[in-house]
Amino acid sequence: MKKPKWVIAKEQAKRQAAQETVWLFGLHAVRDALENPAREKLRLVVTRNALDRLGEAVPQSGMEPEISDPRKFAAPLDPQSVHQGAALEVKALDWGSLEDVALSEGPMPQRIVLLDRVTDPHNVGAILRSAEVFGARAVIAMNRHAAPETGALAKTASGALERQPYLRVRNLADAIVALQDMGYLVLGLDGEAEQTIEQAVDGKRDRPIALVMGAEGPGLREKTRETCDHLVRIDAAAGFGSLNVSNAAAVALYAVKA
């Protein structure tokens, strides 16, 4: 029997609502989200042991925890998720516009990381950690063909997702042009490039700099390569293989620090 239109509409609305929320898991990720006043928090599921370990973060957040049996954990997580007895349903953070973060004030010259089809949430989480450590203004990825804000990403980011802007844009080339118009020097990482990062930024470390990282294997897309100001490589020992994208991002951020 065909479903009535109102039933179909209700199911579609429910699916849409579910896509607009994220389940964070793991003690570190959940604690940092609870302590973030900018994070809209919806539902907290914890075991009694996890509740004790989260300490004052729970009462200070104003959340009413749902106590769950660790053998039948109530949060709708992947069975393989290492949740440590803590899960928090939240809304994605709103970091504002590209211009807001690109021109934001900070103790160091502006640095931004752009990701061209980097889809592994563990890589993106690790990049967010490095971006926070080196004082980057933001990590920017596309709306499609990129790692969404997920529990796995947040757990790998180890709290950085609550503090490090992670923006999504429709078109990466347009974002690069916008950054160039704001005065950014945009460098695309390419293992076959003629010049090193250090050569490209020599005498320019006081400028805003954006680093564009491609997916492992395919690297930067042709349109992205054409839009960057320069293609650069990480200097490596002869015959040594390429770096994982998250490691390359950390090395590149260190190489362009003022």
Side-chain angles (χ1 to χ4, degrees), residues 2 16 19 25 44 71 170 184 233:
K2 192 173 180 181
Q16 181 63 31
Q19 291 172 356
F25 58 84
L44 174 63
R71 294 166 295 183
R170 187 182 65 80
Y184 273 77
R233 72 176 192 276

Side-chain angles (χ1 to χ4, degrees), residues 30-257:
V30 168
R31 180 184 292 108
D32 283 336
L34 287 171
E35 293 175 346
N36 182 3
R39 178 71 86 169
E40 185 177 346
K41 300 168 273 285
L42 304 174
R43 183 182 171 199
L44 174 63
V45 180
V46 291
T47 62
R48 292 201 176 276
N49 180 57
L51 182 62
D52 291 340
R53 295 177 68 184
L54 287 170
E56 291 301 307
V58 175
Q60 289 176 1
S61 72
M63 293 290 293
E64 186 66 37
E66 299 176 28
I67 307 301
S68 181
D69 186 327
R71 294 166 295 183
K72 296 179 180 179
F73 198 59
L77 303 176
D78 185 295
Q80 304 304 314
S81 300
V82 184
H83 54 71
Q84 300 173 292
L88 178 65
E89 186 181 16
V90 299
K91 292 276 191 178
L93 288 164
D94 180 5
W95 292 103
S97 69
L98 174 61
E99 185 174 9
D100 289 339
V101 296
L103 300 179
S104 62
E105 295 296 325
M108 297 176 284
Q110 292 102 323
R111 301 292 184 260
I112 280 179
V113 178
L114 296 103
L115 305 179
D116 189 4
R117 299 198 176 199
V118 178
T119 58
D120 186 330
H122 299 94
N123 276 334
V124 176
I127 290 168
L128 285 166
R129 290 185 71 178
S130 295
E132 181 181 30
V133 168
F134 292 108
R137 297 297 191 272
V139 175
I140 298 167
M142 295 182 296
N143 287 328
R144 301 178 62 190
H145 307 296
E149 188 173 324
T150 62
L153 188 154
K155 195 169 193 300
T156 307
S158 194
L161 184 61
E162 302 303 317
R163 300 176 294 270
Q164 178 64 44
Y166 180 45
L167 270 65
R168 311 288 291 283
V169 297
R170 187 182 65 80
N171 186 292
L172 200 69
D174 288 349
I176 290 172
V177 171
L179 289 171
Q180 289 167 332
D181 290 343
M182 294 179 221
Y184 273 77
L185 173 67
V186 182
L187 306 176
L189 272 288
D190 182 342
E192 303 300 319
E194 293 185 4
Q195 64 178 333
T196 66
I197 297 178
E198 289 82 2
Q199 289 170 338
V201 301
D202 186 33
K204 303 173 185 175
R205 292 179 183 273
D206 59 336
R207 283 190 61 181
I209 297 173
L211 299 165
V212 191
M213 319 294 301
E216 291 173 45
L220 300 176
R221 290 172 299 152
E222 190 61 32
K223 179 65 172 177
T224 306
R225 293 164 59 90
E226 292 172 355
T227 313
C228 293
D229 291 311
H230 304 288
L231 296 179
V232 297
R233 72 176 192 276
I234 293 172
D235 211 9
F240 192 76
S242 62
L243 288 170
N244 166 284
V245 65
S246 61
N247 291 333
V251 172
L253 283 165
Y254 183 80
V256 300
K257 68 186 183 68

